[in-house]
Amino acid sequence: MTPRCGGSFPSAVVPQTPDPAGTNQRCSTSFKVTVAAYHAARVLILARRTADSPELIEAVATRADRGPCNFTLLVPSSLRTLTNTAYRRPHRDIDAERRIAAAVPLLSRAAGSEVVAVVGAQDPLAAVRDALKLMGFDEVIVSMPPPHTSRWRSLGLPARIRALGVPVIEVTGTQSPSTPLPAA
């Protein structure tokens, strides 16, 4: 089958339409091609002390095996104040940056693609709320230490995130010491 303006397309894409005038002098036919939308789930990973734990890495690999997805690691800030009032510029959260530097290569390998990482607000619920509002994630993985040492668990953080209307996967990870930043 050949469209009226030349070229060739499979019959499933371009139906043959008769030229009522029989002139076929110029192409006035528009072609509508329907392609199934590709949708990769946007998965937010919330972790601080367990960002590079083997349990979280396994959870990311398992989620990546279920279907296409893009991961973003959100590490809540450990600083109380994020603004340097003398210079009016943000402070660097060295602890969060170290955790990100240690976790991102491991999580990226598990995900099979690059994991993006951001430092969020100190309050983890506020950080997740901001991320959902700004970037619209489809699901959240919350990685926390075991119950007897987890402040997030005692605050009911996973349930509070679910109340925001997003599915939550809870991971109990082992806390690992933060790895030093690589030399620049």
Side-chain angles (χ1 to χ4, degrees):
M1 164 178 277
T2 302
R4 293 189 297 171
C5 298
S8 63
F9 297 99
S11 60
V13 175
V14 180
Q16 178 146 3
T17 56
D19 183 4
T23 59
N24 205 14
Q25 293 177 356
R26 43 183 260 215
C27 184
S28 60
T29 304
S30 62
F31 299 99
K32 183 177 181 180
V33 178
T34 304
V35 178
Y38 171 80
H39 177 72
R42 295 162 299 180
V43 181
L44 179 66
I45 304 167
L46 176 67
R48 185 182 286 148
R49 296 182 293 172
T50 58
D52 58 350
S53 70
E55 297 84 1
L56 178 58
I57 292 164
E58 179 62 32
V60 168
T62 300
R63 176 57 190 91
D65 288 344
R66 283 194 353 231
C69 47
N70 298 313
F71 294 97
T72 300
L73 172 62
L74 171 61
V75 177
S77 174
S78 58
L79 297 175
R80 297 246 183 250
T81 304
L82 291 177
T83 304
N84 181 332
T85 55
Y87 298 105
R88 301 280 188 231
R89 63 180 188 203
H91 279 289
R92 289 180 59 196
D93 187 342
I94 301 299
D95 182 54
E97 289 177 8
R98 285 184 179 139
R99 293 187 187 284
I100 287 170
V104 165
L106 300 170
L107 294 171
S108 295
R109 195 173 356 212
S113 63
E114 190 64 31
V115 172
V116 176
V118 295
V119 177
Q122 181 190 13
D123 173 26
L125 184 61
V128 170
R129 189 180 297 122
D130 291 345
L132 292 174
K133 188 183 295 184
L134 294 173
M135 297 181 263
F137 290 95
D138 301 310
E139 54 192 274
V140 178
I141 298 174
V142 180
S143 180
M144 302 168 285
H148 62 280
T149 62
S150 176
R151 182 173 167 265
W152 290 359
R153 203 178 295 275
S154 67
L155 294 173
L157 184 61
R160 294 172 77 188
I161 294 172
R162 277 188 197 93
L164 298 175
V166 64
V168 175
I169 298 170
E170 296 179 45
V171 176
T172 300
T174 53
Q175 181 178 337
S176 60
S178 188
T179 308
L181 280 174

